[in-house]
Each structure stands twice: as structure tokens, then as C-alpha cells.
Amino acid sequence: LAPNVLLMTRHFNRVSTWMSATILSQKTAQGRADMLSYFINLQRQLMYLSNFNGMFEVHACLSSSHVRRLQLSWN
């Protein structure tokens, strides 16, 4: 009944999953930490631009369970 809302939801999920895969594909803890830092800075820039959908895509990625468990990378 709402094809545009479904497309937006699919895009949101696809982008946040891609970001998670990008972080997890790094071979070292330092590489993952660098990607985490990049996405945190990206989230700040999206907030500055008032792109709240993009900001929450990054938030969904960073708060997902498989990214939150990266203890060495977050430290």
C-alpha cells in the first residue's frame, strides 16, 4: 500500500548493512577502529547538514550487535 515507504526502508537497511560489512571486512583492529572513526565523523557531518535519515543509518550500523561487540576497535 505504501511502495515509497517500503523503498525507503529497504534503502535504509541496505546502507546500514553495507556500513557494518565495511567495518567488519577490515582485517585488523586498527583498520576497524579507523572505519568506526570515519563513520562517526560522517554521522556528525550528516547531522550538520540536517540529513537525519543518513544520520540514523549510521546510528543503526554503529549500534548493531555485531559492531558493538568489537571491544578492541571501540577502545
Side-chain angles (χ1 to χ4, degrees):
L1 296 174
N4 292 332
V5 173
L6 292 175
L7 286 173
M8 251 178 56
T9 304
R10 277 191 211 119
H11 177 68
F12 183 97
N13 291 335
R14 229 179 288 137
V15 171
S16 63
T17 302
W18 171 80
M19 284 187 258
S20 298
T22 303
I23 293 169
L24 296 173
S25 70
Q26 302 300 310
K27 304 239 185 266
T28 63
Q30 183 61 46
R32 289 187 292 273
D34 292 341
M35 291 308 299
L36 283 169
S37 176
Y38 175 81
F39 284 124
I40 290 168
N41 289 330
L42 175 65
Q43 187 177 27
R44 285 188 192 129
Q45 291 300 315
L46 290 168
M47 185 174 68
Y48 174 74
L49 295 171
S50 298
N51 184 343
F52 299 113
N53 192 53
M55 188 179 75
F56 280 107
E57 287 171 352
V58 177
H59 179 74
C61 164
L62 296 178
S63 63
S64 64
S65 63
H66 46 276
V67 173
R68 293 298 290 161
R69 283 184 278 156
L70 300 171
Q71 294 297 323
L72 293 175
S73 300
W74 282 102
N75 291 336

